[in-house]
Amino acid sequence: MTATQADPALQALMLPFADGTLAWPGGGALFLRARDGWPLHEHALPGLVCEQGFRPDAEALQRSGFEPRAPDDARYPLVLLLPPRQRDEARALFAAALARRQPGGTIIASAANDAGAKSHEADLARIAGPLVSRSKHKCRVFWTRPGAAGGDAALAAQWRALDAPRPIAGGRFRSRPGVFAWDRIDPASALLAEHLPDDLRGHAADLGAGWGYLAAELLQRCPGITALDLYEAEARALELARVNLAPFAQRAALGFHWHDVTTGLPQRFDAIVSNPPFHAQGNAARPDIGRRFIAVAAEALKPGGRLWLVANRHLPYEAVLDASFGGTRLVAQRDGFKVVEAVKAGGASARAPR
């Protein structure tokens, strides 16, 4: 999202400062899950520290002069946040905001009405005490009252633990709330893994690797893979992938990259696997992201290199596949998903469409 695009939740978040209801503190402020947008540029915000783990949003903040930082233990007189849709993840973030607030400081949050705003407001009130609330731009903005008594510190401590990685899939992997398909193996990725051939070899990449399921399956099924690079835009997911791929550290050279695939790749590969996203951070469909993943994969593959892709059956990827590759074939369709193999033109290993 660029600084000029509409972001109603961010507009609502900054409204109490814009109209003078709240004063910006002299001691700076922390913005959790920060996003850039024009409301951040209407007035000076001295001492604003941003935390953002989603690479495209972090890069947008940097382009606007904000420097996203990794989480630390510093406390601030003001903590702002845009809670995520997933409730356990949001509760953990509210608890983190409480821990990062200075005594007597303010926590302020905003969410769209159709993204759980009322539930988020009720959750913050449970651990922080009475709130002030306003509705604007089809969103709710709500904040703590300085010095107000109330809240449940024990519950806040419990909620902080909701973000901790935990075993899933019978203990084979570790995951956490909020990352894609966090508590299960995504059926589309499982379908792709089921059809992966065992003759993929050389240097491979997983684009949009998530918490590492496809990468693990690729290494397990394809003994000829000697190196594998994982590209993932969400830092919380990439941390998990490092843990989940640790058993393969002696099996192949592994690389983990916090990276927005749509900006291109710096290396060339013999094989690529991908279950590309078709949403950004919101719910609106974004098939252009998947199309860009395909184009980037074609650019990054060596001649004769192979892309193995899974996607929702209805997504319009065929045109970019045909334009970007020497040959493509539909490998499987099931439960609303399709698996496609595409081969880069040229090279001795190139295959004809079947």
Side-chain angles (χ1 to χ4, degrees):
M1 180 171 290
T2 69
T4 58
Q5 288 177 313
D7 187 338
L10 180 60
Q11 288 178 251
L13 182 72
M14 301 307 296
L15 183 62
F17 303 101
D19 67 12
T21 301
L22 293 176
W24 191 262
L30 173 66
F31 190 176
L32 300 175
R33 303 293 170 90
R35 294 197 297 262
D36 189 32
W38 63 261
L40 293 187
H41 303 272
E42 284 196 306
H43 306 282
L45 305 175
L48 179 62
V49 174
C50 298
E51 287 186 7
Q52 175 54 258
F54 184 58
R55 184 73 181 199
D57 286 346
E59 291 176 340
L61 287 162
Q62 286 180 312
R63 288 192 296 269
S64 287
F66 300 103
E67 189 61 38
R69 299 186 190 177
D72 57 34
D73 295 324
R75 292 186 169 220
Y76 298 83
L78 172 66
V79 181
L80 308 95
L81 66 131
L82 295 169
R85 190 177 289 264
Q86 208 284 334
R87 196 165 190 184
D88 280 355
E89 182 189 9
R91 284 176 165 177
L93 194 66
F94 284 133
L98 200 62
R100 305 287 294 277
R101 179 186 65 169
Q102 290 179 359
T106 299
I107 299 172
I108 182 169
S110 173
N113 293 335
D114 61 1
K118 286 188 177 181
S119 295
H120 288 323
E121 182 180 354
D123 282 344
L124 180 58
R126 289 179 67 185
I127 62 171
L131 305 178
V132 179
S133 176
R134 291 172 61 180
S135 294
K136 190 71 172 179
H137 307 303
K138 297 183 179 180
C139 300
R140 294 179 76 84
V141 56
F142 43 95
W143 62 92
T144 57
R145 298 174 180 173
D152 188 332
L155 183 61
Q158 293 177 24
W159 283 2
R160 286 209 71 181
L162 292 175
D163 188 48
R166 64 195 72 178
I168 64 166
R172 183 181 173 200
F173 301 105
R174 296 186 71 79
S175 187
R176 69 202 316 172
V179 301
F180 174 68
W182 80 269
D183 59 350
R184 66 195 185 281
I185 294 173
D186 170 60
S189 295
L191 181 65
L192 176 55
E194 178 185 329
H195 288 87
L196 283 176
D198 61 9
D199 63 345
L200 296 176
R201 60 184 62 255
H203 193 172
D206 182 354
L207 308 187
W211 48 260
Y213 168 74
L214 264 181
E217 289 291 308
L218 181 67
L219 290 171
Q220 189 160 294
R221 293 166 184 263
C222 302
I225 298 297
T226 56
L228 176 60
D229 284 275
L230 287 76
Y231 292 89
E232 172 54 45
E234 177 51 62
R236 297 172 69 251
L238 192 65
E239 292 172 7
L240 296 163
R242 290 180 182 274
V243 173
N244 291 327
L245 271 292
F248 298 95
Q250 304 303 315
R251 153 78 177 77
L254 301 176
F256 300 88
H257 309 278
W258 185 46
H259 184 75
D260 177 4
V261 170
T262 66
T263 64
L265 298 177
Q267 303 183 68
R268 296 293 176 264
F269 300 97
D270 301 293
I272 290 176
V273 298
S274 186
N275 179 1
F278 60 97
H279 297 92
Q281 289 295 79
N283 268 352
R286 289 283 308 277
D288 59 298
I289 298 176
R291 288 193 292 265
R292 179 60 184 156
F293 266 56
I294 292 167
V296 167
E299 294 167 0
L301 281 167
K302 299 174 184 176
R306 297 153 69 187
L307 167 67
W308 280 78
L309 171 87
V310 67
N312 287 51
R313 187 182 299 173
H314 71 275
L315 290 172
Y317 292 161
E318 282 69 24
V320 67
L321 284 163
D322 291 341
S324 303
F325 288 89
T328 65
R329 69 183 181 101
L330 180 64
V331 177
Q333 293 187 84
R334 191 175 73 212
D335 301 328
F337 304 111
K338 57 188 174 187
V339 173
V340 176
E341 181 192 26
V343 183
K344 181 78 172 283
S349 63
R351 298 182 174 190
R354 290 175 283 182

